[in-house]
Amino acid sequence: MMIRVSPLALHLTQVVLLTCLLLSSFWASAAWEELSEAELETILVEKFAEGKYSAKGADNCLMCHRRSETVMALFDGVHGRTTNPASPMAPGQLQCEACHGPQGNHNRGGKEPMITFGPDSRVSAAAQNSVCLSCHSGDDRLAWHGSTHDIEEVACSSCHNVHAAQDPSRDKLQAQANCTDCHRQQFAQMQQRSSHPMRTGQITCVDCHNPHGSLNDAMLSQVSVNDNCYACHAEKRGPLLWEHAPVSDNCAACHNPHGSVNDAMLTQRPPQLCQSCHASPHSGSPQFQGGNSAFTAGQSCLNCHNQVHGSNHPSGKLLQR
């Protein structure tokens, strides 16, 4: 027996179904927005475990996202090169889903959440970084876990942008701008009259520090402060016949590597700097005499003890020659 349905009834049925679909889509999207960070990450972890990746890859994503200049900029950079076998966009790779997670029903009105990156992401920095570290875990990132930036929950996307022809952090001056966005005290020191040529980009933060983590203090690239300094100031490296103890111990005992108002980036001006260790080297003579005293004029203590970094002269015990 054939049941005939009037065009009006069919039309009303379609309207009801469409309305229900729109309402369910709205409720689903509202529900995702109301989820806490932990709840959202739990769902994303489950999606990864299920592994419901799209058979069409980026083609599915670009059906909706191709109008975004930010999205399409990916194909201008290394992550979007289809000829690079290590790229997520290479044939046989997971493409967009390699970073943003399995699509599942995301494009079918289900409003399933995907991993997003950047300051507007509702996913924790640790979760975002885990995606990046799944590929970029070697070389200078071996000490990322437990590093200062890891503990402070700095996201890779805070400094890097893969949806670009050239990651800004690959540029020395831009990388330094990233650092000084947070490290404002060091930025202020860089502007002082005596500083390394950091404002011109001849030296940048990454020449001394590894922002991805290091086993050394202050994420230094070298084992110690002195080893960092010796990379450029090799003439100060010992051993010397007559050594100045604070020099061989730590260059930062006298110098501020980020900049200072004093000559040679000294933390204090002589003779105050010298007297912080040598309280009374001249049998109690006053060290702050006025006029043109050899103790205060010119180079102060360095008027006589000019080999302050050490001496190889047989008679250089007092660092005078």
Side-chain angles (χ1 to χ4, degrees):
M1 178 178 179
M2 183 179 295
I3 300 175
R4 294 184 179 181
V5 180
S6 67
L8 179 59
L10 180 61
H11 175 70
L12 290 174
T13 303
Q14 291 174 338
V15 170
V16 170
L17 288 174
L18 180 59
T19 303
C20 291
L21 180 62
L22 292 174
L23 286 174
S24 64
S25 175
F26 170 78
W27 289 330
S29 62
W32 297 129
E33 293 297 326
E34 294 171 1
L35 290 175
S36 67
E37 180 182 292
E39 292 171 333
L40 181 59
E41 289 186 11
T42 300
I43 292 173
L44 291 170
V45 169
E46 291 175 354
K47 286 189 66 177
F48 268 101
E50 293 174 358
K52 292 182 179 179
Y53 292 96
S54 168
K56 295 183 179 180
D59 290 339
N60 257 341
C61 305
L62 294 178
M63 288 176 64
C64 296
H65 298 288
R66 68 169 63 249
R67 295 181 181 180
S68 170
E69 293 182 2
T70 301
V71 171
M72 299 307 292
L74 172 74
F75 297 96
D76 297 327
V78 65
H79 287 80
R81 292 176 186 166
T82 57
T83 56
N84 184 350
S87 167
M89 301 303 293
Q93 300 296 334
L94 295 174
Q95 302 182 1
C96 304
E97 293 170 279
C99 297
H100 295 283
Q103 189 178 84
N105 294 320
H106 176 76
N107 67 328
R108 299 177 184 174
K111 295 294 182 181
E112 287 189 3
M114 306 286 286
I115 294 180
T116 56
F117 302 87
D120 296 328
S121 175
R122 296 184 59 238
V123 180
S124 68
Q128 295 180 52
N129 293 347
S130 66
V131 175
C132 305
L133 293 171
S134 63
C135 293
H136 303 281
S137 58
D139 300 329
D140 62 350
R141 292 168 290 276
L142 290 172
W144 168 261
H145 294 290
S147 68
T148 301
H149 286 156
D150 179 33
I151 294 171
E152 294 296 331
E153 299 183 346
V154 177
C156 303
S157 56
S158 298
C159 302
H160 298 280
N161 180 8
V162 300
H163 280 259
Q166 182 72 20
D167 182 1
S169 290
R170 306 290 290 181
D171 177 78
K172 280 192 169 185
L173 285 176
Q174 183 59 48
Q176 185 162 282
N178 282 339
C179 301
T180 53
D181 278 346
C182 295
H183 301 280
R184 302 305 295 174
Q185 181 178 353
Q186 286 72 22
F187 175 75
Q189 292 167 341
M190 287 163 50
Q191 313 308 313
Q192 300 189 59
R193 60 182 293 269
S194 178
S195 65
H196 280 116
M198 300 178 74
R199 283 170 288 179
T200 57
Q202 293 173 268
I203 295 178
T204 63
C205 306
V206 295
D207 288 319
C208 297
H209 302 276
N210 182 351
H212 298 115
S214 167
L215 298 178
N216 311 313
D217 289 341
M219 296 198 292
L220 291 173
S221 301
Q222 306 294 332
V223 175
S224 67
V225 172
N226 284 19
D227 287 328
N228 260 15
C229 299
Y230 294 151
C232 295
H233 304 282
E235 75 282 2
K236 303 296 189 295
R237 184 192 295 272
L240 298 170
L241 182 60
W242 303 104
E243 292 188 335
H244 194 183
V247 175
S248 58
D249 177 46
N250 191 334
C251 301
C254 297
H255 301 276
N256 186 335
H258 296 110
S260 169
V261 295
N262 304 311
D263 289 339
M265 295 188 293
L266 293 175
T267 56
Q268 300 180 73
R269 292 182 61 187
Q272 289 94 332
L273 177 60
C274 305
Q275 288 177 330
S276 63
C277 293
H278 306 283
S280 183
H282 292 281
S283 302
S285 300
Q287 301 299 297
F288 299 99
Q289 300 176 22
N292 293 322
S293 166
F295 296 128
T296 57
Q299 293 292 308
S300 187
C301 303
L302 277 68
N303 288 332
C304 299
H305 306 282
N306 48 52
Q307 299 299 315
V308 70
H309 291 102
S311 172
N312 270 326
H313 195 282
S315 300
K317 179 179 179 179
L318 300 178
L319 306 179
Q320 292 177 309
R321 60 185 74 188

